[in-house]
mmCIF file of all heavy atoms in Angstrom:
data_model
loop_
_atom_site.group_PDB
_atom_site.id
_atom_site.type_symbol
_atom_site.label_atom_id
_atom_site.label_comp_id
_atom_site.label_asym_id
_atom_site.label_seq_id
_atom_site.Cartn_x
_atom_site.Cartn_y
_atom_site.Cartn_z
ATOM 1 N N MET A 1 11.214 -14.374 1.741
ATOM 2 C CA MET A 1 9.808 -14.177 1.535
ATOM 3 C C MET A 1 9.544 -14.002 0.046
ATOM 4 O O MET A 1 10.476 -13.763 -0.744
ATOM 5 C CB MET A 1 9.279 -12.954 2.293
ATOM 6 C CG MET A 1 9.775 -11.626 1.826
ATOM 7 S SD MET A 1 8.931 -10.321 2.753
ATOM 8 C CE MET A 1 10.117 -9.010 2.574
ATOM 9 N N ALA A 2 8.277 -14.158 -0.320
ATOM 10 C CA ALA A 2 7.901 -13.927 -1.723
ATOM 11 C C ALA A 2 6.656 -13.042 -1.735
ATOM 12 O O ALA A 2 5.757 -13.204 -0.906
ATOM 13 C CB ALA A 2 7.610 -15.257 -2.429
ATOM 14 N N LEU A 3 6.659 -12.099 -2.657
ATOM 15 C CA LEU A 3 5.605 -11.075 -2.699
ATOM 16 C C LEU A 3 4.721 -11.262 -3.931
ATOM 17 O O LEU A 3 5.194 -11.706 -4.970
ATOM 18 C CB LEU A 3 6.249 -9.684 -2.749
ATOM 19 C CG LEU A 3 7.217 -9.323 -1.604
ATOM 20 C CD1 LEU A 3 7.847 -7.963 -1.874
ATOM 21 C CD2 LEU A 3 6.509 -9.346 -0.270
ATOM 22 N N SER A 4 3.475 -10.873 -3.803
ATOM 23 C CA SER A 4 2.547 -10.852 -4.938
ATOM 24 C C SER A 4 2.414 -9.432 -5.458
ATOM 25 O O SER A 4 2.898 -8.479 -4.832
ATOM 26 C CB SER A 4 1.166 -11.350 -4.488
ATOM 27 O OG SER A 4 1.231 -12.706 -4.137
ATOM 28 N N GLY A 5 1.724 -9.311 -6.573
ATOM 29 C CA GLY A 5 1.573 -7.997 -7.202
ATOM 30 C C GLY A 5 0.208 -7.396 -6.928
ATOM 31 O O GLY A 5 -0.375 -7.595 -5.855
ATOM 32 N N GLY A 6 -0.314 -6.655 -7.889
ATOM 33 C CA GLY A 6 -1.630 -6.020 -7.739
ATOM 34 C C GLY A 6 -1.591 -4.934 -6.676
ATOM 35 O O GLY A 6 -0.563 -4.296 -6.426
ATOM 36 N N GLY A 7 -2.730 -4.797 -5.982
ATOM 37 C CA GLY A 7 -2.865 -3.722 -4.989
ATOM 38 C C GLY A 7 -1.912 -3.851 -3.817
ATOM 39 O O GLY A 7 -1.643 -2.895 -3.089
ATOM 40 N N LEU A 8 -1.360 -5.050 -3.648
ATOM 41 C CA LEU A 8 -0.453 -5.289 -2.502
ATOM 42 C C LEU A 8 0.783 -4.397 -2.588
ATOM 43 O O LEU A 8 1.327 -3.971 -1.564
ATOM 44 C CB LEU A 8 -0.039 -6.762 -2.493
ATOM 45 C CG LEU A 8 0.714 -7.281 -1.269
ATOM 46 C CD1 LEU A 8 -0.160 -7.194 -0.025
ATOM 47 C CD2 LEU A 8 1.188 -8.706 -1.497
ATOM 48 N N VAL A 9 1.218 -4.091 -3.809
ATOM 49 C CA VAL A 9 2.445 -3.281 -3.972
ATOM 50 C C VAL A 9 2.265 -1.936 -3.285
ATOM 51 O O VAL A 9 3.083 -1.532 -2.452
ATOM 52 C CB VAL A 9 2.757 -3.071 -5.468
ATOM 53 C CG1 VAL A 9 4.028 -2.218 -5.615
ATOM 54 C CG2 VAL A 9 2.909 -4.401 -6.182
ATOM 55 N N ARG A 10 1.146 -1.271 -3.572
ATOM 56 C CA ARG A 10 0.932 0.051 -2.975
ATOM 57 C C ARG A 10 0.789 -0.076 -1.471
ATOM 58 O O ARG A 10 1.395 0.673 -0.699
ATOM 59 C CB ARG A 10 -0.335 0.687 -3.560
ATOM 60 C CG ARG A 10 -0.694 2.057 -2.958
ATOM 61 C CD ARG A 10 -2.052 2.527 -3.436
ATOM 62 N NE ARG A 10 -3.091 1.527 -3.171
ATOM 63 C CZ ARG A 10 -3.597 1.283 -1.952
ATOM 64 N NH1 ARG A 10 -3.143 1.945 -0.898
ATOM 65 N NH2 ARG A 10 -4.531 0.357 -1.766
ATOM 66 N N LEU A 11 0.020 -1.069 -1.033
ATOM 67 C CA LEU A 11 -0.256 -1.216 0.402
ATOM 68 C C LEU A 11 1.041 -1.439 1.187
ATOM 69 O O LEU A 11 1.324 -0.742 2.175
ATOM 70 C CB LEU A 11 -1.206 -2.397 0.586
ATOM 71 C CG LEU A 11 -2.047 -2.399 1.857
ATOM 72 C CD1 LEU A 11 -3.415 -2.980 1.570
ATOM 73 C CD2 LEU A 11 -1.376 -3.194 2.925
ATOM 74 N N LEU A 12 1.866 -2.368 0.710
ATOM 75 C CA LEU A 12 3.140 -2.619 1.418
ATOM 76 C C LEU A 12 4.064 -1.399 1.309
ATOM 77 O O LEU A 12 4.737 -1.020 2.272
ATOM 78 C CB LEU A 12 3.825 -3.859 0.844
ATOM 79 C CG LEU A 12 3.144 -5.206 1.083
ATOM 80 C CD1 LEU A 12 3.993 -6.332 0.481
ATOM 81 C CD2 LEU A 12 2.902 -5.470 2.558
ATOM 82 N N SER A 13 4.064 -0.763 0.154
ATOM 83 C CA SER A 13 4.976 0.375 -0.052
ATOM 84 C C SER A 13 4.594 1.559 0.821
ATOM 85 O O SER A 13 5.446 2.332 1.254
ATOM 86 C CB SER A 13 4.984 0.793 -1.530
ATOM 87 O OG SER A 13 5.352 -0.311 -2.324
ATOM 88 N N GLU A 14 3.289 1.677 1.119
ATOM 89 C CA GLU A 14 2.843 2.788 1.979
ATOM 90 C C GLU A 14 3.127 2.498 3.443
ATOM 91 O O GLU A 14 3.369 3.405 4.236
ATOM 92 C CB GLU A 14 1.333 3.034 1.790
ATOM 93 C CG GLU A 14 1.019 3.766 0.500
ATOM 94 C CD GLU A 14 -0.490 3.891 0.277
ATOM 95 O OE1 GLU A 14 -1.278 3.387 1.111
ATOM 96 O OE2 GLU A 14 -0.876 4.500 -0.743
ATOM 97 N N GLU A 15 3.113 1.244 3.823
ATOM 98 C CA GLU A 15 3.162 0.910 5.252
ATOM 99 C C GLU A 15 4.541 0.455 5.732
ATOM 100 O O GLU A 15 4.984 0.827 6.805
ATOM 101 C CB GLU A 15 2.135 -0.200 5.549
ATOM 102 C CG GLU A 15 0.700 0.163 5.204
ATOM 103 C CD GLU A 15 0.194 1.381 5.987
ATOM 104 O OE1 GLU A 15 0.689 1.619 7.104
ATOM 105 O OE2 GLU A 15 -0.665 2.105 5.453
ATOM 106 N N LEU A 16 5.227 -0.352 4.938
ATOM 107 C CA LEU A 16 6.452 -0.986 5.476
ATOM 108 C C LEU A 16 7.605 0.002 5.720
ATOM 109 O O LEU A 16 8.232 -0.052 6.777
ATOM 110 C CB LEU A 16 6.911 -2.132 4.567
ATOM 111 C CG LEU A 16 6.081 -3.415 4.656
ATOM 112 C CD1 LEU A 16 6.698 -4.500 3.792
ATOM 113 C CD2 LEU A 16 5.952 -3.917 6.085
ATOM 114 N N PRO A 17 7.900 0.932 4.804
ATOM 115 C CA PRO A 17 9.042 1.825 5.085
ATOM 116 C C PRO A 17 8.840 2.605 6.385
ATOM 117 O O PRO A 17 9.765 2.760 7.180
ATOM 118 C CB PRO A 17 9.059 2.750 3.866
ATOM 119 C CG PRO A 17 8.453 1.941 2.787
ATOM 120 C CD PRO A 17 7.380 1.117 3.457
ATOM 121 N N ALA A 18 7.597 3.015 6.665
ATOM 122 C CA ALA A 18 7.337 3.767 7.910
ATOM 123 C C ALA A 18 7.600 2.852 9.109
ATOM 124 O O ALA A 18 8.241 3.224 10.080
ATOM 125 C CB ALA A 18 5.897 4.264 7.926
ATOM 126 N N GLN A 19 7.145 1.591 8.994
ATOM 127 C CA GLN A 19 7.381 0.634 10.082
ATOM 128 C C GLN A 19 8.883 0.410 10.254
ATOM 129 O O GLN A 19 9.404 0.349 11.360
ATOM 130 C CB GLN A 19 6.703 -0.708 9.748
ATOM 131 C CG GLN A 19 5.201 -0.701 9.877
ATOM 132 C CD GLN A 19 4.738 -0.288 11.265
ATOM 133 O OE1 GLN A 19 5.337 -0.669 12.272
ATOM 134 N NE2 GLN A 19 3.719 0.544 11.335
ATOM 135 N N ALA A 20 9.565 0.320 9.119
ATOM 136 C CA ALA A 20 11.020 0.062 9.175
ATOM 137 C C ALA A 20 11.712 1.212 9.906
ATOM 138 O O ALA A 20 12.562 1.016 10.761
ATOM 139 C CB ALA A 20 11.570 -0.068 7.757
ATOM 140 N N ARG A 21 11.259 2.445 9.617
ATOM 141 C CA ARG A 21 11.891 3.597 10.286
ATOM 142 C C ARG A 21 11.615 3.539 11.780
ATOM 143 O O ARG A 21 12.482 3.726 12.618
ATOM 144 C CB ARG A 21 11.360 4.910 9.684
ATOM 145 C CG ARG A 21 12.047 5.314 8.389
ATOM 146 C CD ARG A 21 11.710 6.744 8.006
ATOM 147 N NE ARG A 21 10.276 6.921 7.739
ATOM 148 C CZ ARG A 21 9.688 6.601 6.580
ATOM 149 N NH1 ARG A 21 10.419 6.049 5.625
ATOM 150 N NH2 ARG A 21 8.402 6.792 6.379
ATOM 151 N N LEU A 22 10.368 3.188 12.128
ATOM 152 C CA LEU A 22 9.988 3.091 13.547
ATOM 153 C C LEU A 22 10.864 2.041 14.232
ATOM 154 O O LEU A 22 11.465 2.272 15.256
ATOM 155 C CB LEU A 22 8.510 2.653 13.657
ATOM 156 C CG LEU A 22 7.453 3.743 13.633
ATOM 157 C CD1 LEU A 22 6.067 3.106 13.742
ATOM 158 C CD2 LEU A 22 7.673 4.721 14.773
#
Side-chain angles (χ1 to χ4, degrees):
M1 67 175 157
L3 303 175
S4 294
L8 190 64
V9 180
R10 177 188 54 74
L11 204 144
L12 292 182
S13 303
E14 284 175 359
E15 301 299 332
L16 285 184
Q19 286 303 321
R21 278 193 297 279
L22 273 180

